[in-house]
Amino acid sequence: MIKAYLLLLLMLLLTSCDKEDDSPVSLAVSSISPETGPIGTTVTITGTGFSTALNENEVTINDKPAKITAATATSLTVTIPVRAGSGKFTVKTKGKTTESPAFNYETTAIVSTLAGGTRGFADGTGTNAHFREIRQLAVAPDGSLYGADKENNRIRKITPDGVVTTFVGGTRGHADGIGTAAQLNLPSGIVLGPNGIFYVCDDHKIRIINADGEVGTLAGRSWGYADGLGPTADFRGLYNIARAPNGNLFVTDYHNNRIRKIAPDGTVSTFAGNESGYEDGTGTQAKFSAPMGITAGADGNLYVTDGSNRIRKITPEGVVTTFSSIEVGYVDGDLEAARFFRPQNVIVASDGTIYVSDMMNHKIRQISPDGKVTTLAGGRQGDLDGTGTQAKFYMPAALALASDSILYVSEYGNFKIRKIILR
């Protein structure tokens, strides 16, 4: 009887062990290593519940597939894809899903020369073309660039292959017309609107140019300061221009130390700023000191580079705050700790990344959506193509994004248009 009881107990224990061995292991990620890296980085994802069969696991980061090169029940080895972006890995195994700790993606910037290199005026291809001072760039749907070449009093067109031609302008003046028959007076800002329409900051006027190169005047009368409808408004040294998602135009009125708004019907009003100075606030309570670059994000927020070495942020309601550090220098890090030296232009990518031409540091900086400032490209002052900080710039100025993977930069010092492939 005792033997039979012991045999039964042994069988029950064995059955219990078998059930425990067959019980599923939960899918979970405990760590990733390394936590930071560029395209091609090999990352080990450690956890539980993975399949030892490669094709039964799926790993993505920001919806981009990461190639799995090895798999065990407790680890997956993956390769970071191009333009992955920072974020968490999503791991799927046999119908189950989990997430990892965040991975910090380091963008690789490959810098090359698209056109220019000599101060002057000449149309041509590549380095045979000459510029004087490209203040702002706009990208057309076909990938061509349009640059406000201030001291040449022209709008130049640069194809993706580096072929440079004159779109409009020639003789300095304020005459409407078509192509080179039109006259511009130190154009410094350009932005593309709907239907191939360009808007240009032209000294104290806002000029409008259609796809055929016909130039007209939207707003502006004379050098001064006055709000009003179209030809009754006055500006004093317009610098750059941005177009908000709702169709309104915003310009940096450099010598008036204001941000002016131009409605689609040409009505000009003061959106923010009054006398020269530095003060955060709403609308005309805020103060700017010679505002320069301006861009609009998809959320309607404006970002402005101020002559006080700051980057300012303006909400659609006109609330002005200081977005970057107030001290001059060169430091990467959190926004509070980072330092810039005469930031010239800003542009916002679709993922919320902000690119800054840090002119006197001779670098292109980037600000991640979570507020981390890093150096994307540029080392010491100079003229050198290359990757990341191996490349050299001399006073980078205008910025334009042709896509999430191509950034264009103009340079005051090298008289060039540089192309940066982002990977």
Side-chain angles (χ1 to χ4, degrees), residues 78-244:
V78 302
T79 303
I80 297 298
V82 63
R83 299 293 295 161
S86 298
K88 297 179 179 181
F89 291 104
T90 299
V91 180
K92 296 181 180 179
T93 300
K94 296 181 178 180
K96 299 176 182 179
T97 302
T98 190
E99 288 187 335
S100 75
F103 177 82
N104 182 35
Y105 183 80
E106 295 178 337
T107 302
T108 300
I110 303 170
V111 181
S112 61
T113 297
L114 179 66
T118 302
R119 187 178 190 275
F121 168 71
D123 288 335
T125 300
T127 55
N128 291 322
H130 299 165
F131 305 102
R132 280 198 169 91
E133 188 180 325
I134 300 288
R135 278 279 183 92
Q136 193 172 16
L137 292 164
V139 183
D142 66 356
S144 294
L145 292 168
Y146 289 80
D149 193 354
K150 181 182 177 183
E151 292 186 24
N152 277 321
N153 301 294
R154 293 169 169 88
I155 303 300
R156 314 288 292 279
K157 177 182 177 181
I158 308 103
T159 70
D161 297 325
V163 179
V164 181
T165 54
T166 296
F167 181 50
V168 299
T171 304
R172 181 175 176 178
H174 275 128
D176 293 339
I178 299 176
T180 56
Q183 293 180 353
L184 304 177
N185 184 37
L186 303 174
S188 62
I190 183 168
V191 71
L192 180 63
N195 303 316
I197 300 294
F198 292 95
Y199 298 93
V200 174
C201 290
D202 190 32
D203 191 24
H204 57 270
K205 294 179 183 290
I206 304 295
R207 313 294 290 278
I208 186 168
I209 308 172
N210 68 19
D212 297 323
E214 184 176 357
V215 181
T217 302
L218 176 65
R221 175 182 54 187
S222 59
W223 183 273
Y225 170 65
D227 289 334
L229 179 62
T232 68
D234 295 333
F235 303 95
R236 187 180 286 125
L238 295 171
Y239 207 98
N240 273 183
I241 185 168
R243 184 175 183 272

Side-chain angles (χ1 to χ4, degrees), residues 272-291:
N274 51 65
E275 61 185 28
S276 178
Y278 166 66
E279 188 172 331
D280 289 337
T282 300
T284 56
Q285 296 175 345
K287 293 182 181 180
F288 296 86
S289 177

